[in-house]
PDB file of all heavy atoms in Angstrom:
ATOM      1  N   PRO O 177     104.304  73.495  78.799  1.00 93.00           N
ATOM      2  CA  PRO O 177     105.119  74.767  79.047  1.00 93.00           C
ATOM      3  C   PRO O 177     104.195  75.861  79.279  1.00 93.00           C
ATOM      4  O   PRO O 177     103.042  76.014  78.671  1.00 93.00           O
ATOM      5  CB  PRO O 177     105.989  74.799  77.803  1.00 93.00           C
ATOM      6  CG  PRO O 177     105.237  74.101  76.802  1.00 93.00           C
ATOM      7  CD  PRO O 177     104.585  72.932  77.407  1.00 93.00           C
ATOM      8  N   ILE O 178     104.559  76.836  80.087  1.00 93.00           N
ATOM      9  CA  ILE O 178     103.601  77.987  80.432  1.00 93.00           C
ATOM     10  C   ILE O 178     103.560  79.038  79.336  1.00 93.00           C
ATOM     11  O   ILE O 178     102.412  79.618  79.141  1.00 93.00           O
ATOM     12  CB  ILE O 178     104.065  78.628  81.762  1.00 93.00           C
ATOM     13  CG1 ILE O 178     103.032  79.695  82.231  1.00 93.00           C
ATOM     14  CG2 ILE O 178     105.430  79.152  81.830  1.00 93.00           C
ATOM     15  CD1 ILE O 178     101.660  79.264  82.452  1.00 93.00           C
ATOM     16  N   ARG O 179     104.591  79.282  78.689  1.00 91.00           N
ATOM     17  CA  ARG O 179     104.652  80.522  77.754  1.00 91.00           C
ATOM     18  C   ARG O 179     103.673  80.483  76.620  1.00 91.00           C
ATOM     19  O   ARG O 179     102.884  81.484  76.369  1.00 91.00           O
ATOM     20  CB  ARG O 179     106.106  80.678  77.207  1.00 91.00           C
ATOM     21  CG  ARG O 179     106.227  81.846  76.166  1.00 91.00           C
ATOM     22  CD  ARG O 179     107.625  82.167  75.955  1.00 91.00           C
ATOM     23  NE  ARG O 179     108.263  82.792  77.052  1.00 91.00           N
ATOM     24  CZ  ARG O 179     109.609  82.862  77.190  1.00 91.00           C
ATOM     25  NH1 ARG O 179     110.441  82.416  76.262  1.00 91.00           N
ATOM     26  NH2 ARG O 179     110.041  83.542  78.157  1.00 91.00           N
ATOM     27  N   PRO O 180     103.471  79.429  75.902  1.00 93.00           N
ATOM     28  CA  PRO O 180     102.451  79.358  74.852  1.00 93.00           C
ATOM     29  C   PRO O 180     101.009  79.367  75.458  1.00 93.00           C
ATOM     30  O   PRO O 180     100.216  80.002  74.815  1.00 93.00           O
ATOM     31  CB  PRO O 180     102.738  77.999  74.056  1.00 93.00           C
ATOM     32  CG  PRO O 180     103.584  77.314  74.980  1.00 93.00           C
ATOM     33  CD  PRO O 180     104.324  78.035  75.716  1.00 93.00           C
ATOM     34  N   PHE O 181     100.856  78.761  76.612  1.00 95.00           N
ATOM     35  CA  PHE O 181      99.627  78.745  77.130  1.00 95.00           C
ATOM     36  C   PHE O 181      99.303  80.268  77.616  1.00 95.00           C
ATOM     37  O   PHE O 181      98.041  80.716  77.427  1.00 95.00           O
ATOM     38  CB  PHE O 181      99.591  77.929  78.483  1.00 95.00           C
ATOM     39  CG  PHE O 181      98.401  78.006  79.430  1.00 95.00           C
ATOM     40  CD1 PHE O 181      97.177  77.487  78.980  1.00 95.00           C
ATOM     41  CD2 PHE O 181      98.502  78.744  80.537  1.00 95.00           C
ATOM     42  CE1 PHE O 181      96.064  77.606  79.859  1.00 95.00           C
ATOM     43  CE2 PHE O 181      97.362  78.954  81.300  1.00 95.00           C
ATOM     44  CZ  PHE O 181      96.148  78.341  80.976  1.00 95.00           C
ATOM     45  N   ALA O 182     100.026  80.853  78.304  1.00 94.00           N
ATOM     46  CA  ALA O 182      99.887  82.335  78.780  1.00 94.00           C
ATOM     47  C   ALA O 182      99.613  83.225  77.600  1.00 94.00           C
ATOM     48  O   ALA O 182      98.684  84.027  77.685  1.00 94.00           O
ATOM     49  CB  ALA O 182     101.081  82.830  79.538  1.00 94.00           C
ATOM     50  N   ARG O 183     100.464  83.016  76.460  1.00 93.00           N
ATOM     51  CA  ARG O 183     100.179  83.877  75.345  1.00 93.00           C
ATOM     52  C   ARG O 183      98.858  83.684  74.860  1.00 93.00           C
ATOM     53  O   ARG O 183      98.060  84.584  74.366  1.00 93.00           O
ATOM     54  CB  ARG O 183     101.303  83.636  74.263  1.00 93.00           C
ATOM     55  CG  ARG O 183     101.321  84.542  73.209  1.00 93.00           C
ATOM     56  CD  ARG O 183     102.364  84.210  72.181  1.00 93.00           C
ATOM     57  NE  ARG O 183     103.673  84.148  72.584  1.00 93.00           N
ATOM     58  CZ  ARG O 183     104.425  82.986  72.780  1.00 93.00           C
ATOM     59  NH1 ARG O 183     103.944  81.796  72.234  1.00 93.00           N
ATOM     60  NH2 ARG O 183     105.616  82.959  73.222  1.00 93.00           N
ATOM     61  N   SER O 184      98.343  82.471  74.719  1.00 95.00           N
ATOM     62  CA  SER O 184      96.957  82.171  74.055  1.00 95.00           C
ATOM     63  C   SER O 184      95.840  82.575  74.987  1.00 95.00           C
ATOM     64  O   SER O 184      94.879  83.120  74.322  1.00 95.00           O
ATOM     65  CB  SER O 184      96.937  80.618  73.957  1.00 95.00           C
ATOM     66  OG  SER O 184      96.791  79.924  75.125  1.00 95.00           O
ATOM     67  N   ARG O 185      96.139  82.595  76.232  1.00 96.00           N
ATOM     68  CA  ARG O 185      94.973  83.112  77.002  1.00 96.00           C
ATOM     69  C   ARG O 185      94.928  84.608  77.075  1.00 96.00           C
ATOM     70  O   ARG O 185      93.797  85.181  77.096  1.00 96.00           O
ATOM     71  CB  ARG O 185      95.205  82.607  78.468  1.00 96.00           C
ATOM     72  CG  ARG O 185      95.106  81.052  78.639  1.00 96.00           C
ATOM     73  CD  ARG O 185      93.893  80.458  78.014  1.00 96.00           C
ATOM     74  NE  ARG O 185      92.661  80.618  78.862  1.00 96.00           N
ATOM     75  CZ  ARG O 185      91.416  80.373  78.428  1.00 96.00           C
ATOM     76  NH1 ARG O 185      91.389  79.880  77.160  1.00 96.00           N
ATOM     77  NH2 ARG O 185      90.386  80.556  79.221  1.00 96.00           N
ATOM     78  N   VAL O 186      96.072  85.322  77.086  1.00 94.00           N
ATOM     79  CA  VAL O 186      96.000  86.802  76.904  1.00 94.00           C
ATOM     80  C   VAL O 186      95.418  87.147  75.598  1.00 94.00           C
ATOM     81  O   VAL O 186      94.602  88.101  75.506  1.00 94.00           O
ATOM     82  CB  VAL O 186      97.427  87.408  77.144  1.00 94.00           C
ATOM     83  CG1 VAL O 186      97.514  88.771  76.741  1.00 94.00           C
ATOM     84  CG2 VAL O 186      97.830  87.219  78.537  1.00 94.00           C
ATOM     85  N   LEU O 187      95.788  86.507  74.543  1.00 93.00           N
ATOM     86  CA  LEU O 187      95.271  86.790  73.256  1.00 93.00           C
ATOM     87  C   LEU O 187      93.715  86.647  73.110  1.00 93.00           C
ATOM     88  O   LEU O 187      93.093  87.437  72.498  1.00 93.00           O
ATOM     89  CB  LEU O 187      96.052  85.950  72.226  1.00 93.00           C
ATOM     90  CG  LEU O 187      95.555  86.162  70.687  1.00 93.00           C
ATOM     91  CD1 LEU O 187      95.833  87.520  70.147  1.00 93.00           C
ATOM     92  CD2 LEU O 187      96.310  85.170  69.738  1.00 93.00           C
ATOM     93  N   LEU O 188      93.244  85.663  73.924  1.00 96.00           N
ATOM     94  CA  LEU O 188      91.870  85.250  73.784  1.00 96.00           C
ATOM     95  C   LEU O 188      90.974  86.492  74.541  1.00 96.00           C
ATOM     96  O   LEU O 188      89.961  86.924  74.166  1.00 96.00           O
ATOM     97  CB  LEU O 188      91.530  84.039  74.448  1.00 96.00           C
ATOM     98  CG  LEU O 188      90.118  83.542  74.402  1.00 96.00           C
ATOM     99  CD1 LEU O 188      89.643  83.320  72.948  1.00 96.00           C
ATOM    100  CD2 LEU O 188      89.938  82.209  75.105  1.00 96.00           C
ATOM    101  N   ALA O 189      91.707  86.917  75.563  1.00 95.00           N
ATOM    102  CA  ALA O 189      90.985  87.917  76.443  1.00 95.00           C
ATOM    103  C   ALA O 189      91.150  89.347  75.644  1.00 95.00           C
ATOM    104  O   ALA O 189      90.228  90.227  75.759  1.00 95.00           O
ATOM    105  CB  ALA O 189      91.875  88.160  77.753  1.00 95.00           C
ATOM    106  N   GLN O 190      92.165  89.542  74.866  1.00 92.00           N
ATOM    107  CA  GLN O 190      92.211  90.736  74.016  1.00 92.00           C
ATOM    108  C   GLN O 190      91.165  90.699  72.939  1.00 92.00           C
ATOM    109  O   GLN O 190      90.635  91.686  72.621  1.00 92.00           O
ATOM    110  CB  GLN O 190      93.680  90.721  73.400  1.00 92.00           C
ATOM    111  CG  GLN O 190      94.808  91.212  74.254  1.00 92.00           C
ATOM    112  CD  GLN O 190      96.087  91.261  73.465  1.00 92.00           C
ATOM    113  OE1 GLN O 190      96.593  90.337  73.160  1.00 92.00           O
ATOM    114  NE2 GLN O 190      96.672  92.449  73.491  1.00 92.00           N
ATOM    115  N   ARG O 191      91.035  89.544  72.364  1.00 94.00           N
ATOM    116  CA  ARG O 191      90.023  89.407  71.319  1.00 94.00           C
ATOM    117  C   ARG O 191      88.584  89.659  71.983  1.00 94.00           C
ATOM    118  O   ARG O 191      87.682  90.285  71.271  1.00 94.00           O
ATOM    119  CB  ARG O 191      90.024  88.051  70.599  1.00 94.00           C
ATOM    120  CG  ARG O 191      91.295  87.876  69.762  1.00 94.00           C
ATOM    121  CD  ARG O 191      91.381  86.371  69.309  1.00 94.00           C
ATOM    122  NE  ARG O 191      92.505  86.306  68.414  1.00 94.00           N
ATOM    123  CZ  ARG O 191      92.915  85.108  67.786  1.00 94.00           C
ATOM    124  NH1 ARG O 191      92.416  83.952  68.528  1.00 94.00           N
ATOM    125  NH2 ARG O 191      93.870  84.918  67.127  1.00 94.00           N
ATOM    126  N   ALA O 192      88.428  89.115  73.137  1.00 94.00           N
ATOM    127  CA  ALA O 192      86.993  89.307  73.789  1.00 94.00           C
ATOM    128  C   ALA O 192      86.786  90.849  74.011  1.00 94.00           C
ATOM    129  O   ALA O 192      85.733  91.335  73.954  1.00 94.00           O
ATOM    130  CB  ALA O 192      86.997  88.516  74.987  1.00 94.00           C
ATOM    131  N   LEU O 193      87.839  91.613  74.424  1.00 93.00           N
ATOM    132  CA  LEU O 193      87.675  92.954  74.647  1.00 93.00           C
ATOM    133  C   LEU O 193      87.482  93.676  73.453  1.00 93.00           C
ATOM    134  O   LEU O 193      86.627  94.525  73.423  1.00 93.00           O
ATOM    135  CB  LEU O 193      88.953  93.569  75.388  1.00 93.00           C
ATOM    136  CG  LEU O 193      89.148  95.085  75.473  1.00 93.00           C
ATOM    137  CD1 LEU O 193      87.883  95.544  76.313  1.00 93.00           C
ATOM    138  CD2 LEU O 193      90.327  95.453  76.076  1.00 93.00           C
ATOM    139  N   ARG O 194      88.126  93.380  72.341  1.00 92.00           N
ATOM    140  CA  ARG O 194      87.904  93.958  71.158  1.00 92.00           C
ATOM    141  C   ARG O 194      86.552  93.627  70.549  1.00 92.00           C
ATOM    142  O   ARG O 194      85.747  94.560  69.990  1.00 92.00           O
ATOM    143  CB  ARG O 194      88.961  93.405  70.075  1.00 92.00           C
ATOM    144  CG  ARG O 194      88.792  94.019  68.655  1.00 92.00           C
ATOM    145  CD  ARG O 194      88.970  95.526  68.611  1.00 92.00           C
ATOM    146  NE  ARG O 194      90.451  95.944  68.980  1.00 92.00           N
ATOM    147  CZ  ARG O 194      91.400  95.871  68.173  1.00 92.00           C
ATOM    148  NH1 ARG O 194      91.186  95.484  66.856  1.00 92.00           N
ATOM    149  NH2 ARG O 194      92.651  96.204  68.563  1.00 92.00           N
ATOM    150  N   LYS O 195      86.093  92.493  70.802  1.00 93.00           N
ATOM    151  CA  LYS O 195      84.692  92.090  70.366  1.00 93.00           C
ATOM    152  C   LYS O 195      83.568  92.904  71.019  1.00 93.00           C
ATOM    153  O   LYS O 195      82.681  93.421  70.437  1.00 93.00           O
ATOM    154  CB  LYS O 195      84.562  90.636  70.433  1.00 93.00           C
ATOM    155  CG  LYS O 195      83.223  90.080  70.065  1.00 93.00           C
ATOM    156  CD  LYS O 195      83.135  88.539  70.218  1.00 93.00           C
ATOM    157  CE  LYS O 195      81.770  87.930  69.796  1.00 93.00           C
ATOM    158  NZ  LYS O 195      81.634  86.491  70.015  1.00 93.00           N
ATOM    159  N   ARG O 196      83.768  92.980  72.351  1.00 93.00           N
ATOM    160  CA  ARG O 196      82.795  93.693  73.168  1.00 93.00           C
ATOM    161  C   ARG O 196      82.760  95.121  72.802  1.00 93.00           C
ATOM    162  O   ARG O 196      81.750  95.905  72.775  1.00 93.00           O
ATOM    163  CB  ARG O 196      83.007  93.447  74.640  1.00 93.00           C
ATOM    164  CG  ARG O 196      82.636  92.146  75.007  1.00 93.00           C
ATOM    165  CD  ARG O 196      82.703  91.864  76.479  1.00 93.00           C
ATOM    166  NE  ARG O 196      82.395  90.487  76.913  1.00 93.00           N
ATOM    167  CZ  ARG O 196      82.111  90.177  78.172  1.00 93.00           C
ATOM    168  NH1 ARG O 196      82.067  90.967  79.106  1.00 93.00           N
ATOM    169  NH2 ARG O 196      81.864  88.842  78.612  1.00 93.00           N
ATOM    170  N   SER O 197      83.962  95.710  72.557  1.00 92.00           N
ATOM    171  CA  SER O 197      84.080  97.104  72.274  1.00 92.00           C
ATOM    172  C   SER O 197      83.334  97.409  70.857  1.00 92.00           C
ATOM    173  O   SER O 197      82.704  98.405  70.646  1.00 92.00           O
ATOM    174  CB  SER O 197      85.613  97.477  72.098  1.00 92.00           C
ATOM    175  OG  SER O 197      86.243  97.263  73.295  1.00 92.00           O
ATOM    176  N   ARG O 198      83.603  96.511  69.898  1.00 92.00           N
ATOM    177  CA  ARG O 198      82.943  96.701  68.573  1.00 92.00           C
ATOM    178  C   ARG O 198      81.323  96.544  68.701  1.00 92.00           C
ATOM    179  O   ARG O 198      80.729  97.291  68.065  1.00 92.00           O
ATOM    180  CB  ARG O 198      83.534  95.666  67.597  1.00 92.00           C
ATOM    181  CG  ARG O 198      84.932  96.024  67.111  1.00 92.00           C
ATOM    182  CD  ARG O 198      85.497  94.963  66.198  1.00 92.00           C
ATOM    183  NE  ARG O 198      86.830  95.460  65.774  1.00 92.00           N
ATOM    184  CZ  ARG O 198      87.594  94.714  65.039  1.00 92.00           C
ATOM    185  NH1 ARG O 198      87.331  93.404  64.690  1.00 92.00           N
ATOM    186  NH2 ARG O 198      88.772  95.089  64.587  1.00 92.00           N
ATOM    187  N   ARG O 199      80.977  95.651  69.579  1.00 91.00           N
ATOM    188  CA  ARG O 199      79.548  95.487  69.707  1.00 91.00           C
ATOM    189  C   ARG O 199      78.908  96.752  70.517  1.00 91.00           C
ATOM    190  O   ARG O 199      77.847  97.149  70.006  1.00 91.00           O
ATOM    191  CB  ARG O 199      79.273  94.260  70.618  1.00 91.00           C
ATOM    192  CG  ARG O 199      77.843  93.916  70.893  1.00 91.00           C
ATOM    193  CD  ARG O 199      77.688  92.782  71.957  1.00 91.00           C
ATOM    194  NE  ARG O 199      78.362  91.648  71.379  1.00 91.00           N
ATOM    195  CZ  ARG O 199      78.794  90.648  72.259  1.00 91.00           C
ATOM    196  NH1 ARG O 199      78.431  90.716  73.653  1.00 91.00           N
ATOM    197  NH2 ARG O 199      79.424  89.568  71.830  1.00 91.00           N
ATOM    198  N   ALA O 200      79.659  97.319  71.257  1.00 90.00           N
ATOM    199  CA  ALA O 200      79.237  98.581  72.020  1.00 90.00           C
ATOM    200  C   ALA O 200      79.097  99.715  71.105  1.00 90.00           C
ATOM    201  O   ALA O 200      78.265 100.601  71.251  1.00 90.00           O
ATOM    202  CB  ALA O 200      80.056  98.822  73.204  1.00 90.00           C
ATOM    203  N   THR O 201      79.961  99.705  70.071  1.00 89.00           N
ATOM    204  CA  THR O 201      79.964 100.812  69.219  1.00 89.00           C
ATOM    205  C   THR O 201      79.384 100.653  67.796  1.00 89.00           C
ATOM    206  O   THR O 201      79.698 101.558  66.937  1.00 89.00           O
ATOM    207  CB  THR O 201      81.383 101.398  68.930  1.00 89.00           C
ATOM    208  OG1 THR O 201      82.202 100.196  68.498  1.00 89.00           O
ATOM    209  CG2 THR O 201      82.131 101.798  70.361  1.00 89.00           C
ATOM    210  N   ARG O 202      78.801  99.600  67.604  1.00 88.00           N
ATOM    211  CA  ARG O 202      78.087  99.423  66.315  1.00 88.00           C
ATOM    212  C   ARG O 202      76.939 100.288  65.981  1.00 88.00           C
ATOM    213  O   ARG O 202      76.656 100.349  64.741  1.00 88.00           O
ATOM    214  CB  ARG O 202      77.656  97.977  66.204  1.00 88.00           C
ATOM    215  CG  ARG O 202      76.491  97.507  67.263  1.00 88.00           C
ATOM    216  CD  ARG O 202      76.335  95.988  67.196  1.00 88.00           C
ATOM    217  NE  ARG O 202      75.410  95.593  68.280  1.00 88.00           N
ATOM    218  CZ  ARG O 202      75.106  94.497  68.525  1.00 88.00           C
ATOM    219  NH1 ARG O 202      75.804  93.409  67.968  1.00 88.00           N
ATOM    220  NH2 ARG O 202      74.320  94.040  69.603  1.00 88.00           N
ATOM    221  N   GLY O 203      76.309 100.930  66.965  1.00 80.00           N
ATOM    222  CA  GLY O 203      75.354 101.869  66.687  1.00 80.00           C
ATOM    223  C   GLY O 203      75.769 103.330  67.043  1.00 80.00           C
ATOM    224  O   GLY O 203      76.953 103.514  67.437  1.00 80.00           O
ATOM    225  N   GLU O 204      74.976 104.227  66.678  1.00 77.00           N
ATOM    226  CA  GLU O 204      75.387 105.618  67.035  1.00 77.00           C
ATOM    227  C   GLU O 204      75.301 105.826  68.505  1.00 77.00           C
ATOM    228  O   GLU O 204      76.259 106.629  68.983  1.00 77.00           O
ATOM    229  CB  GLU O 204      74.283 106.613  66.358  1.00 77.00           C
ATOM    230  CG  GLU O 204      74.317 106.646  64.932  1.00 77.00           C
ATOM    231  CD  GLU O 204      73.409 107.591  64.329  1.00 77.00           C
ATOM    232  OE1 GLU O 204      72.778 108.492  65.118  1.00 77.00           O
ATOM    233  OE2 GLU O 204      73.201 107.754  63.061  1.00 77.00           O
ATOM    234  N   ALA O 205      74.480 105.448  69.269  1.00 78.00           N
ATOM    235  CA  ALA O 205      74.422 105.449  70.764  1.00 78.00           C
ATOM    236  C   ALA O 205      75.035 104.229  71.405  1.00 78.00           C
ATOM    237  O   ALA O 205      74.794 103.044  70.882  1.00 78.00           O
ATOM    238  CB  ALA O 205      73.078 105.743  71.145  1.00 78.00           C
ATOM    239  N   ILE O 206      75.767 104.499  72.470  1.00 84.00           N
ATOM    240  CA  ILE O 206      76.416 103.399  73.230  1.00 84.00           C
ATOM    241  C   ILE O 206      75.559 103.300  74.555  1.00 84.00           C
ATOM    242  O   ILE O 206      75.299 104.254  75.200  1.00 84.00           O
ATOM    243  CB  ILE O 206      77.839 103.760  73.747  1.00 84.00           C
ATOM    244  CG1 ILE O 206      78.694 103.687  72.380  1.00 84.00           C
ATOM    245  CG2 ILE O 206      78.390 102.566  74.630  1.00 84.00           C
ATOM    246  CD1 ILE O 206      80.175 103.958  72.597  1.00 84.00           C
ATOM    247  N   HIS O 207      75.063 101.962  74.886  1.00 88.00           N
ATOM    248  CA  HIS O 207      74.406 101.786  76.080  1.00 88.00           C
ATOM    249  C   HIS O 207      75.063 101.491  77.229  1.00 88.00           C
ATOM    250  O   HIS O 207      76.165 101.039  77.137  1.00 88.00           O
ATOM    251  CB  HIS O 207      73.405 100.617  75.727  1.00 88.00           C
ATOM    252  CG  HIS O 207      72.519 100.815  74.609  1.00 88.00           C
ATOM    253  ND1 HIS O 207      71.367 101.711  74.611  1.00 88.00           N
ATOM    254  CD2 HIS O 207      72.644 100.339  73.325  1.00 88.00           C
ATOM    255  CE1 HIS O 207      70.853 101.676  73.469  1.00 88.00           C
ATOM    256  NE2 HIS O 207      71.394 100.838  72.601  1.00 88.00           N
ATOM    257  N   GLU O 208      74.644 101.751  78.438  1.00 90.00           N
ATOM    258  CA  GLU O 208      75.286 101.587  79.636  1.00 90.00           C
ATOM    259  C   GLU O 208      75.778 100.145  79.949  1.00 90.00           C
ATOM    260  O   GLU O 208      76.896  99.769  80.218  1.00 90.00           O
ATOM    261  CB  GLU O 208      74.395 101.865  80.860  1.00 90.00           C
ATOM    262  CG  GLU O 208      74.045 103.332  80.975  1.00 90.00           C
ATOM    263  CD  GLU O 208      73.181 103.612  82.229  1.00 90.00           C
ATOM    264  OE1 GLU O 208      73.073 102.677  83.058  1.00 90.00           O
ATOM    265  OE2 GLU O 208      72.549 104.635  82.197  1.00 90.00           O
ATOM    266  N   GLU O 209      74.830  99.132  79.485  1.00 91.00           N
ATOM    267  CA  GLU O 209      75.272  97.773  79.574  1.00 91.00           C
ATOM    268  C   GLU O 209      76.430  97.244  78.722  1.00 91.00           C
ATOM    269  O   GLU O 209      77.281  96.508  79.193  1.00 91.00           O
ATOM    270  CB  GLU O 209      74.005  96.849  79.275  1.00 91.00           C
ATOM    271  CG  GLU O 209      72.783  96.980  80.116  1.00 91.00           C
ATOM    272  CD  GLU O 209      71.922  98.299  79.725  1.00 91.00           C
ATOM    273  OE1 GLU O 209      72.270  98.928  78.674  1.00 91.00           O
ATOM    274  OE2 GLU O 209      70.967  98.660  80.496  1.00 91.00           O
ATOM    275  N   ASP O 210      76.421  97.945  77.612  1.00 91.00           N
ATOM    276  CA  ASP O 210      77.685  97.565  76.783  1.00 91.00           C
ATOM    277  C   ASP O 210      78.943  98.143  77.235  1.00 91.00           C
ATOM    278  O   ASP O 210      79.989  97.490  77.222  1.00 91.00           O
ATOM    279  CB  ASP O 210      77.442  98.218  75.310  1.00 91.00           C
ATOM    280  CG  ASP O 210      76.318  97.606  74.617  1.00 91.00           C
ATOM    281  OD1 ASP O 210      76.071  96.427  74.876  1.00 91.00           O
ATOM    282  OD2 ASP O 210      75.633  98.118  73.779  1.00 91.00           O
ATOM    283  N   LEU O 211      78.804  99.370  77.941  1.00 92.00           N
ATOM    284  CA  LEU O 211      80.104  99.865  78.480  1.00 92.00           C
ATOM    285  C   LEU O 211      80.501  99.006  79.820  1.00 92.00           C
ATOM    286  O   LEU O 211      81.612  98.729  80.040  1.00 92.00           O
ATOM    287  CB  LEU O 211      79.800 101.330  79.061  1.00 92.00           C
ATOM    288  CG  LEU O 211      79.746 102.410  77.899  1.00 92.00           C
ATOM    289  CD1 LEU O 211      79.421 103.779  78.472  1.00 92.00           C
ATOM    290  CD2 LEU O 211      81.030 102.386  77.063  1.00 92.00           C
TER     291      LEU O 211
END
Side-chain angles (χ1 to χ4, degrees):
I178 183 60
R179 182 169 282 165
F181 169 78
R183 190 184 299 117
S184 67
R185 298 308 283 172
V186 167
L187 182 59
L188 186 60
Q190 284 179 301
R191 288 173 177 171
L193 175 60
R194 179 67 61 85
K195 182 178 180 180
R196 292 192 180 188
S197 299
R198 288 176 174 172
R199 183 186 303 163
T201 58
R202 61 189 172 189
E204 292 186 7
I206 297 183
H207 301 288
E208 291 180 20
E209 296 81 4
D210 292 329
L211 287 178

